[in-house]
Amino acid sequence: MILAIETSCDDTCAAVVTEGGEILANVISSQGVHDRFGGVVPEIASRHHLEGIGSVLDDALTRAGASFEDLDLVAVTCGPGLVAALLVGVASAKAIAAAHRLPLAPVDHLHGHVAATFLGPVPLELPFLSLIASGGHTLLARVSDRGPEFEVIGQTLDDAAGEAFDKGARLLGLGYPGGAALERLALDGDPEAFAFPAGRGMPGLDFSFAGLKTALLYRIRDLGEGETTRRRADLAASYQRAIVEALALRATRALEQTGLERLAIGGGVAANGVLRSRLRELGVPLEVPPMELCTDNAAMIGSAARFVEPLSYPEYLDLDVYASGERRFVRT
Ligand code: KG4
Ligand code: ZN
C-alpha cells in the first residue's frame, strides 16, 4: 500500500493507492482562501497545508481502512510548485517514512498528472500523446513508458492555459480560480462573436497565451463598461474558444508529427467540456481521467510513485524540493 502526499499549490491532498493502481482513498482539501487575493499566496498556502495535513492524512488512512503498519511506501510531490507549500508535504512524508522505517518515493508533479492515466481498471495503452494543461503548466509529452521521465515536445512560452482562463475570468469580473466560472458564463455566449488570437500563425508545438489575455483586456477597454457587461457571455465564449483552439491545434500537429495514435489529457483545464468535445473531434481515442484525478490530487502521485526508484531510510532525510523543474521531467 502506498500513502501519497501532494501539497505543491493550494490543495492539501493525501491518498492511499495499491501497487496495482487501485485507489483506496483520495482526500483533497481545497483551501479556498486565496480568491480574495486573485491568486495563490504562497505563505498562506503553506500555513494552511501545515494546519490541514494531519487531518487530511488521518482521513485518507481511515477511509482506506489502513494504518501506518499496512504501508509499504510513502510518496510525495517534491516539485515543481511553491517551495514553502512543497516543504510541508515533504517534511510530513519524511517524518512518517522515517518513523516507520519505510522507503520514500520522490515524485514529480507533472509525472503525477500523466500517471493519473495509469490508474483504473483499464489504463490507456502505451505509447500516447499527453496534453497537460493546468494553472501552472501547459505541455505536450510523448509517453512511451510509465516514467518518471517523458519527452516534452511542446510547452508554453509564457502563461499556462489555466492561467489564461484565470486571467480572462478576472478581467470579466469572475472569482479565482476562474476557469470553471468562465466556462459556465460562456454557455450563454457566442464563441464567434469576437475574434481572439489562437496562435494559428505560430508554428511548432509550443504555446503562448500572454497575448490572448492582452487582446481581451484591449477589447474590454474598447467596448466600454456598459457594452462589456452586456456582452460578457460572448466575450467569455470567444475567449474560451481561442484557448481551446490553441490547445487543439498543437495537439493535432503533435499527433501528426509523432504518429502517436492515442491522446490523454490531464490538469485542471481538462475539466473543460468545450475542450473535451473539441479534442474528441481529432479522430484518435481520447483518455480523460475522472474530474477529481484531473485537478491536483494525491492519488496521481501514488500512481506515479509505482514507477519511481524509491529511496530507503535514511537516504531521503536530506531530500529537497524544487520550484521549477522541467530538468527532472524531460528526457534529454
Ligand atoms: O491542475 P490544477 O488543479 O492545479 C494546477 O496544477 O495548477 O489546475 C487548476 C487550473 C486553474 O487555472 C483553473 O482555472 C483551471 O485549472 N480549471 C479550468 C476548469 N476547471 C479548472 N479551466 C477551464 N475550464 C474548467 N472547467
Ligand atoms: Zn497540477
Side-chain angles (χ1 to χ4, degrees):
M1 244 182 236
I2 304 168
L3 174 68
I5 302 173
E6 152 66 46
T7 61
S8 68
C9 192
D10 60 341
D11 297 311
T12 313
C13 315
V16 180
V17 176
T18 66
E19 277 295 332
E22 192 191 341
I23 303 173
L24 302 181
N26 188 22
V27 179
I28 302 167
S29 169
S30 298
Q31 297 184 350
V33 292
H34 304 280
D35 49 348
R36 79 195 76 158
F37 305 106
V40 176
V41 183
E43 286 307 323
I44 295 178
S46 169
R47 268 173 244 163
H48 273 79
H49 285 311
L50 206 50
E51 281 166 19
I53 189 77
S55 47
V56 167
L57 282 162
D58 281 348
D59 204 8
L61 288 168
T62 308
R63 285 193 209 184
S67 67
F68 287 125
E69 282 64 45
D70 299 317
L71 301 177
D72 303 299
L73 178 67
V74 178
V76 64
T77 310
C78 293
L82 304 171
V83 166
L86 288 161
L87 281 171
V88 177
V90 170
S92 309
K94 282 183 191 175
I96 295 168
H100 300 275
R101 294 295 189 267
L102 290 166
L104 187 151
V107 177
D108 186 283
H109 183 77
L110 297 169
H111 183 202
H113 274 302
V114 174
T117 320
F118 306 146
L119 290 165
V122 195
L124 187 64
E125 205 185 314
L126 295 165
F128 58 84
L129 177 72
S130 174
L131 170 63
I132 304 296
S134 73
H137 310 277
T138 303
L139 57 87
L140 283 161
R142 184 202 306 264
V143 178
S144 333
D145 55 38
R146 305 206 184 269
E149 292 173 339
F150 303 104
E151 189 190 344
V152 175
I153 56 175
Q155 57 193 317
T156 185
L157 303 176
D158 39 57
D159 293 349
E163 205 176 344
F165 268 106
D166 293 337
K167 287 179 175 173
R170 190 176 186 174
L171 289 169
L172 292 169
L174 303 166
Y176 176 87
L182 193 144
E183 182 180 9
R184 275 195 301 278
L185 176 61
L187 285 174
D188 301 322
D190 174 6
E192 309 214 340
F194 298 98
F196 287 116
R200 279 193 193 80
M202 187 175 139
L205 301 178
D206 287 336
F207 304 87
S208 169
F209 291 107
L212 180 59
K213 163 204 65 191
T214 313
L216 178 63
L217 176 72
Y218 288 156
R219 185 58 69 139
I220 287 174
R221 205 176 277 172
D222 293 346
L223 288 175
E225 215 179 304
E227 192 64 8
T228 296
T229 310
R230 261 192 304 283
R231 306 202 60 190
R232 267 171 92 232
D234 285 346
L235 286 164
S238 305
Y239 185 79
Q240 171 173 258
R241 143 108 29 129
I243 299 175
V244 167
E245 283 310 310
L247 294 170
L249 177 69
R250 274 143 194 94
T252 309
R253 282 184 191 157
L255 288 168
E256 278 166 15
Q257 281 184 26
T258 59
L260 292 167
E261 289 169 349
R262 283 170 288 276
L263 173 63
I265 174 162
V269 179
N272 188 278
V274 177
L275 177 66
R276 289 167 177 232
S277 4
R278 179 70 180 83
L279 295 178
R280 282 205 180 90
E281 289 167 10
L282 298 186
V284 294
L286 174 69
E287 167 88 6
V288 192
M291 210 65 79
E292 69 276 11
L293 296 178
C294 283
T295 49
D296 286 351
N297 66 87
M300 69 182 195
I301 302 304
S303 174
R306 299 177 295 153
F307 310 104
V308 168
E309 193 65 53
L311 302 168
S312 44
Y313 177 84
E315 274 178 73
Y316 47 77
L317 290 179
D318 62 354
L319 183 69
D320 212 348
V321 302
Y322 50 99
S324 60
E326 279 74 26
R327 67 196 148 113
R328 305 225 178 185
F329 196 67
V330 186
R331 177 178 293 146
T332 47

